[in-house]
Amino acid sequence: VHDGFYMNFKAGLGYMDLESDKTDYSYVDLKSPLSQSLAFKLGGAVNPHLAIVGAMSLSVAAGEVKTRNAYYSDKSDATLLSLILGPGVVFYPVQGGVMDNFFIGATFGLGICGIELDDAYLSWDYNDRTSSNTATGFGVSLEIGKEWWVGDNWSLGVDLVYSYVSGGDVDYDGLEWKSNVIQLRFTITRS
């Protein structure tokens, strides 16, 4: 059973998008069917059914951004980032039987999303062209999965996760960004 020290690592692949507000000069709307994810949780199981953790979840993807407005049309290769840092919980509702080690988890906290372009062409005002933008705000991650015990303290499994980050641009007032991530991940837990 889960008791005391709790550590979890996850890695996986899936869908990711990043979108900015539309302005007169630029906007970003990029979808990637193949993003990579790494997540880490550290905390304690307060009883066999509930673990309270500190969590970090990072997703990255690559794609091509296209921008059009009244003055120009351009495109560039880009790298997307979505990061969530904060407290979380992992709930194991059933002990024993076929549903043993089935879990539901959630993390809420600081959300960061951003984009890095190969070419500097995004323009959030007429005189400024940039190759990167970052937004900070709120992030939430929801997961559901199943692990199987492979030792007294170790379990391996899979989960499905949905993450959402929304925040304001750190350089431009009034410019909002949002990112969605859906991924299938391999998971390993020490408890």
Side-chain angles (χ1 to χ4, degrees), residues 46-106:
V46 295
N47 63 47
H49 299 286
L50 181 66
I52 298 174
V53 298
M56 182 278 306
S57 178
L58 172 67
S59 297
V60 295
E64 186 176 74
V65 174
K66 296 179 183 176
T67 297
R68 292 182 181 89
N69 66 24
Y71 306 105
Y72 66 90
S73 174
D74 208 343
K75 62 184 178 180
S76 174
D77 290 331
T79 302
L80 310 180
L81 168 100
S82 177
L83 175 68
I84 299 174
L85 298 169
V89 295
V90 183
F91 180 57
Y92 296 89
V94 179
Q95 203 173 356
V98 70
M99 294 299 288
D100 188 34
N101 245 7
F102 167 80
F103 63 90
I104 302 166

Side-chain angles (χ1 to χ4, degrees), residues 12-51:
L13 299 171
Y15 167 86
M16 180 179 180
D17 67 31
L18 181 69
E19 181 180 352
S20 73
D21 288 341
K22 291 186 179 181
T23 70
D24 293 339
Y25 303 111
S26 281
Y27 69 93
V28 171
D29 186 2
L30 179 58
K31 297 168 179 57
S32 173
L34 189 60
S35 65
Q36 300 86 39
S37 170
L38 290 175
F40 182 72
K41 296 179 181 179
L42 186 63
V46 295
N47 63 47
H49 299 286
L50 181 66

Side-chain angles (χ1 to χ4, degrees), residues 55-177:
M56 182 278 306
S57 178
L58 172 67
S59 297
V60 295
E64 186 176 74
V65 174
K66 296 179 183 176
T67 297
R68 292 182 181 89
N69 66 24
Y71 306 105
Y72 66 90
S73 174
D74 208 343
K75 62 184 178 180
S76 174
D77 290 331
T79 302
L80 310 180
L81 168 100
S82 177
L83 175 68
I84 299 174
L85 298 169
V89 295
V90 183
F91 180 57
Y92 296 89
V94 179
Q95 203 173 356
V98 70
M99 294 299 288
D100 188 34
N101 245 7
F102 167 80
F103 63 90
I104 302 166
T107 301
F108 303 90
L110 173 66
I112 300 170
C113 60
I115 187 168
E116 178 68 35
L117 303 168
D118 286 351
D119 300 316
Y121 77 90
L122 289 174
S123 298
W124 307 114
D125 63 53
Y126 185 73
N127 297 315
D128 185 24
R129 290 167 64 102
T130 181
S131 63
S132 65
N133 283 87
T134 304
T136 59
F138 174 76
V140 60
S141 179
L142 305 171
E143 61 192 23
I144 184 169
K146 173 85 167 87
E147 292 183 325
W148 293 267
W149 291 106
V150 294
D152 290 340
N153 298 311
W154 292 94
S155 56
L156 301 175
V158 295
D159 77 356
L160 182 66
V161 63
Y162 170 73
S163 299
Y164 176 79
V165 171
S166 177
D169 195 284
V170 298
D171 295 315
Y172 300 97
D173 291 338
L175 181 62
E176 296 290 320
W177 292 79

